[in-house]
Amino acid sequence: MEITRNTRLKDVIRTASGHDTVARLLYSLGLDLDLITNTPIGLLKLGALEKLSFGKISSSFMDAFIRILNSLGESEFSNEPGQTGIAWWKEAVFYQVYPRSFKDSNGDGIGDIKGIIEKLDYIKYLGADAVWCSPFFDSPNADNGYDIRDYRSVMAEFGTLDDVKQLIKECHDRDIRLIIDLVMNHTSDEHEWFRKALCGDEKYRGYYMWSKKPNNWTSFFSGSAWKYFPQAGEYALHLFADKQIDLNWDNPDVRKEMYDIAGFWLDLGVDGFRLDVVSFISKTEGLPDGDPTVGSLMGFTGIEHYFHGPHLDEYLREFNREVLSPYGAYTVGECPGNGIMMSRMITGDDRGELSQLFSFDHIENPGKKRFDVYDFDLRKMVPELVRWQTEYSDHCWPTLFFENHDNPRICSKADHTGRYRVQISKLIAVLLFTLKGTPYVYQGGELGMTDYPFRDLSEYRDVESLNYFREKTSCGVAEDEAMKMLLYGSRDHARTPMQWSSGKNAGFSDSAPWIGVNPNYTEINAEAEAADPGSVLNCYRSLISLRKTHRTLIYGSFRKIRTSKNLLVYERSGDENFTVVINLTGRRRKNPFSSDSSPVFSNYPDPADALRPYEALIYRR
Ligand code: TEU
Ligand code: CA
């Protein structure tokens, strides 16, 4: 179906790209797709929006918008009700390790592979079945290892290839699977390929994307996405830091290199991959300018040309056929900006692309961006969360996560006062382990670790934060205001050392860590929490074990029960029936769920009639 100004909105959202683009656009305006599905607005023609907006929606924006809507064409995925197949990764609890900040084994202040090995028993004790390890490959660390210089060797600070082989073995000895983090969209500018490209080697020049005249795309880490290289006499594309140069995936040699690298690691025994920004690998041919209005809404200009590019599905299928399937490897793709329908194209079990993906809309409230100064409202997350439970289809399996190494801590985000840290952390655990999908715990989330009280720019380490500060202040934002934005959005909050004990440097290292330890480690740490039955850690452990002993919590169906917008109430049904009641606010609410039985879980130590702030209850019937 060709979308034009005459297409009614309700028809626009029947195609995958139409559905997701409109949903994303509304989301960035703080609105919900319900507006189109549940109100007469759905009957309006696309062109009417232009007239009704009184000039806010320009004709050129509408043109760009219609082009995006038509770019993906019809979606080919099964709408048949399916039968959810059983798989280890649907039953597993994943634990994400950020090696630099997890455990330092040799006292240089930097976490390392041997440190991870030391703590595998802890991961097992928590109840996790699989580890996602952020990149440990040789890297000059412009972006903490997400800028890879050599995909087949290990960063000296982290250890050796033998250490990683040992890690794989020690994981498997404990029945823990290990997936590693492959960055296939870009390499370091210090990678041999790029160095050869700069020396005029035509073969390797063709590995990257060049231009004599850069387009208007912006980088995720501020400024233009193009950097001029005098040796080459041209600009090279970098969607991230200017030391992370985008690979040209339209070149079959590049794809072959990547498949070989994946095979190398699978031969060493890893169980699969988390694929860094894998949805960005295919870019619109000719690299045309991005639409400025789309750019300002999304925060990045040009994104419509690569967030689900023209050959993405084709390349993923090729990757799957060449490497993943033969090894039976699991994959979870990082796919920012892909909504639910386009995600079905990537993860449908009949599509032969990826096992699962991460999409991020639920992580910020509608209309908000990560550096905005605001308290995250859990209520506003519900429509998005529920949609992935009910509309993602039986052919797909959601990921469940609220934290990772790129986002502040969720308990701080939702309550910057810290007053309800314990309740919110446990509430999040209830969502992680009772919703349908594969839970991903980010290191320290299981302790209720919080944001760091950053006061000075010198305390930040992340290239994104530092660039952001520079960009904002150079555009006239006052320094204290820019500091406040960093305090709300910096990725460094998630990267402070794991808090193991109340000992020196939180038990992370014998010497000063590469980034500050949160001063609250004397109270919030694994050792103290292990000894406290009411801790966040013990809550995680008991919910993981509840989930494992009741498969209904894994494979059971999901149904949302309508109540007030202050509560989230849902049912998981199968052999058994679980009802989850969550107060999403910091105020007391009436508990609408009357039951003969008392809850099998509460995030408060004692029972009560009314729901207390952020109370989360699980009933079993
Ligand atoms: O992140 C990609 C990404 O788009 C975002 O998570 C990004 O960091 C930011 O949130 C944009 O608003 C991945 C990695 O997870 C991240 O650590 C890397 O810095 C990035 O790719 C580049 O490799
Ligand atoms: Ca170390």
Side-chain angles (χ1 to χ4, degrees):
M1 179 180 81
E2 164 91 9
I3 292 170
T4 67
R5 280 180 166 71
N6 279 326
T7 312
R8 291 186 197 281
L9 287 171
K10 68 177 181 39
D11 294 324
V12 170
I13 63 169
R14 275 172 38 200
T15 66
S17 53
H19 179 279
D20 288 2
T21 317
V22 171
R24 191 68 190 72
L25 205 67
L26 289 172
Y27 203 76
S28 69
L29 294 168
L31 301 168
D32 195 89
L33 195 65
D34 281 356
L35 199 64
I36 293 176
T37 45
N38 290 349
T39 75
I41 291 181
L43 298 173
L44 287 179
K45 291 182 176 165
L46 201 49
L49 290 185
E50 204 176 317
K51 294 186 195 109
L52 289 173
S53 80
F54 300 106
K56 283 208 199 89
I57 299 179
S58 70
S59 169
S60 71
F61 170 70
M62 193 49 86
D63 290 338
F65 188 52
I66 289 173
R67 229 175 305 132
I68 300 170
L69 292 178
N70 286 316
S71 65
L72 269 173
E74 291 299 325
S75 33
E76 301 156 31
F77 47 72
S78 175
N79 262 320
E80 298 295 310
Q83 181 78 38
T84 304
I86 284 174
W88 70 263
W89 47 268
K90 294 180 182 169
E91 299 173 20
V93 172
F94 276 76
Y95 188 82
Q96 184 193 349
V97 169
Y98 194 68
R100 200 169 199 80
S101 309
F102 194 55
K103 178 72 176 93
D104 173 22
S105 73
N106 63 348
D108 64 356
I110 296 171
D112 45 51
I113 304 294
K114 285 211 169 84
I116 304 174
I117 296 172
E118 270 177 41
K119 294 298 183 184
L120 286 178
D121 286 335
Y122 168 82
I123 292 173
K124 190 75 192 170
Y125 156 86
L126 176 65
D129 315 272
V131 167
W132 151 23
C133 189
S134 278
F136 48 64
F137 314 95
D138 174 47
S139 160
N141 280 312
D143 185 20
N144 287 356
Y146 282 91
D147 48 323
I148 299 178
R149 184 163 50 199
D150 180 354
Y151 290 83
R152 289 183 178 82
S153 66
V154 173
M155 193 190 302
E157 287 171 329
F158 287 177
T160 63
L161 189 59
D162 279 337
D163 293 343
V164 173
K165 288 181 186 164
Q166 185 68 17
L167 173 66
I168 297 169
K169 181 179 178 304
E170 301 262 354
C171 282
H172 290 167
D173 285 351
R174 291 169 177 79
D175 268 327
I176 294 174
R177 286 180 166 91
L178 176 68
I179 67 165
I180 63 172
D181 201 327
L182 214 51
V183 186
M184 309 199 297
N185 176 69
H186 45 267
T187 73
S188 166
D189 65 342
E190 297 183 26
H191 193 288
E192 189 192 353
W193 302 334
F194 193 71
R195 292 207 316 260
K196 286 187 175 163
L198 285 187
C199 293
D201 187 325
E202 277 308 314
K203 174 175 161 71
Y204 292 104
R205 253 187 77 82
Y207 275 33
Y208 296 92
M209 314 193 88
W210 302 92
S211 174
K212 288 214 167 7
K213 194 180 159 289
N215 64 20
N216 68 354
W217 297 6
T218 52
S219 156
F220 283 89
F221 296 161
S222 303
S224 165
W226 294 90
K227 181 180 177 185
Y228 186 69
F229 287 89
Q231 304 99 303
E234 281 192 63
Y235 295 81
L237 178 71
H238 64 90
L239 293 182
F240 293 89
D242 63 6
K243 281 178 70 65
Q244 293 169 296
I245 318 292
D246 281 59
L247 285 162
N248 174 15
W249 268 72
D250 295 331
N251 180 340
D253 292 341
V254 167
R255 306 205 296 275
K256 175 84 174 48
E257 297 270 14
M258 282 301 151
Y259 306 161
D260 286 350
I261 288 163
F264 170 85
W265 287 100
L266 289 166
D267 283 335
L268 287 180
V270 303
D271 299 285
F273 306 102
R274 180 263 188 184
L275 299 167
D276 191 63
V277 285
V278 70
S279 52
F280 293 0
I281 55 176
S282 166
K283 280 102 179 164
T284 305
E285 204 186 324
L287 310 178
D289 275 341
D291 179 78
T293 312
V294 174
S296 77
L297 281 172
M298 299 297 146
F300 312 101
T301 306
I303 192 160
E304 68 270 28
H305 292 298
Y306 57 78
F307 81 100
H308 191 127
H311 301 290
L312 175 66
D313 297 285
E314 176 193 331
Y315 296 157
L316 292 179
R317 275 199 290 272
E318 184 183 74
F319 181 31
N320 188 313
R321 202 172 53 234
E322 298 289 317
V323 203
L324 303 172
S325 284
Y327 287 88
Y330 164 83
T331 44
V332 56
E334 191 198 22
C335 301
N338 274 272
I340 207 157
M341 295 303 158
M342 289 158 81
S343 295
R344 282 169 65 166
M345 298 173 67
I346 300 176
T347 61
D349 57 11
D350 47 351
R351 299 269 309 169
E353 298 185 23
L354 304 181
S355 317
Q356 290 195 279
L357 60 70
F358 297 121
S359 174
F360 297 89
D361 288 350
H362 68 290
I363 289 286
E364 294 308 334
N365 280 162
K368 299 293 184 192
K369 301 195 179 97
R370 178 151 47 81
F371 286 107
D372 289 349
V373 175
Y374 79 107
D375 268 340
F376 183 79
D377 186 339
L378 293 168
R379 290 173 295 191
K380 296 190 178 160
M381 171 172 72
V382 168
E384 196 59 23
L385 218 50
V386 168
R387 203 165 275 146
W388 286 82
Q389 295 289 301
T390 55
E391 290 173 29
Y392 196 25
S393 99
D394 298 340
H395 296 273
C396 299
W397 194 254
T399 51
L400 302 167
F401 70 98
F402 300 91
E403 291 186 348
N404 63 17
H405 63 294
D406 290 333
N407 285 280
R409 294 292 184 176
I410 188 72
C411 62
S412 299
K413 208 175 156 81
D415 169 25
H416 285 89
T417 70
R419 183 161 166 217
Y420 295 114
R421 176 186 75 85
V422 170
Q423 283 80 10
I424 295 174
S425 299
K426 292 179 177 179
L427 178 162
I428 291 294
V430 168
L431 293 173
L432 278 174
F433 304 118
T434 68
L435 283 172
K436 188 174 78 179
T438 302
Y440 271 80
V441 178
Y442 178 66
Q443 65 182 46
E446 79 279 17
L447 305 177
M449 272 179 64
T450 69
D451 282 359
Y452 184 93
F454 289 108
R455 248 166 264 140
D456 196 84
L457 193 63
S458 64
E459 295 172 305
Y460 288 98
R461 297 286 176 273
D462 183 20
V463 58
E464 183 200 48
S465 296
L466 300 173
N467 286 359
Y468 190 84
F469 182 85
R470 205 174 315 128
E471 183 176 75
K472 288 292 152 195
T473 50
S474 75
C475 293
V477 174
E479 287 202 0
D480 56 342
E481 215 175 300
M483 282 297 288
K484 185 133 199 213
M485 294 171 176
L486 291 196
L487 193 60
Y488 273 70
S490 176
R491 307 192 298 180
D492 277 337
H493 286 300
R495 300 174 180 189
T496 62
M498 176 74 177
Q499 293 163 207
W500 293 108
S501 71
S502 59
K504 188 179 172 193
N505 299 320
F508 164 74
S509 173
D510 291 340
S511 51
W514 67 279
I515 187 171
V517 176
N518 197 310
N520 63 22
Y521 75 94
T522 48
E523 274 138 59
I524 304 172
N525 66 71
E527 197 177 84
E529 294 197 29
D532 170 7
S535 67
V536 177
L537 176 59
N538 276 312
C539 161
Y540 264 71
R541 292 180 64 231
S542 61
L543 287 175
I544 291 175
S545 120
L546 185 76
R547 184 174 186 272
K548 291 213 163 121
T549 40
H550 300 280
R551 287 171 72 83
T552 297
L553 290 175
I554 300 173
Y555 291 114
S557 64
F558 170 96
R559 188 171 73 91
K560 180 177 186 284
I561 297 169
R562 281 179 86 93
T563 51
S564 88
K565 71 170 179 14
N566 298 313
L567 309 184
L568 173 59
V569 182
Y570 57 90
E571 212 174 50
R572 299 294 310 279
S573 321
D575 295 341
E576 298 170 283
N577 185 295
F578 288 89
T579 306
V580 178
V581 180
I582 298 177
N583 177 1
L584 300 161
T585 70
R587 296 174 55 179
R588 287 176 84 90
R589 306 280 171 187
K590 212 166 137 240
N591 184 350
F593 186 73
S594 59
S595 164
D596 314 327
S597 58
S598 48
V600 290
F601 173 89
S602 164
N603 60 350
Y604 276 81
D606 51 323
D609 287 336
L611 293 167
R612 287 155 289 186
Y614 300 107
E615 183 154 9
L617 302 169
I618 305 174
Y619 296 92
R620 178 155 63 100
R621 279 180 290 155

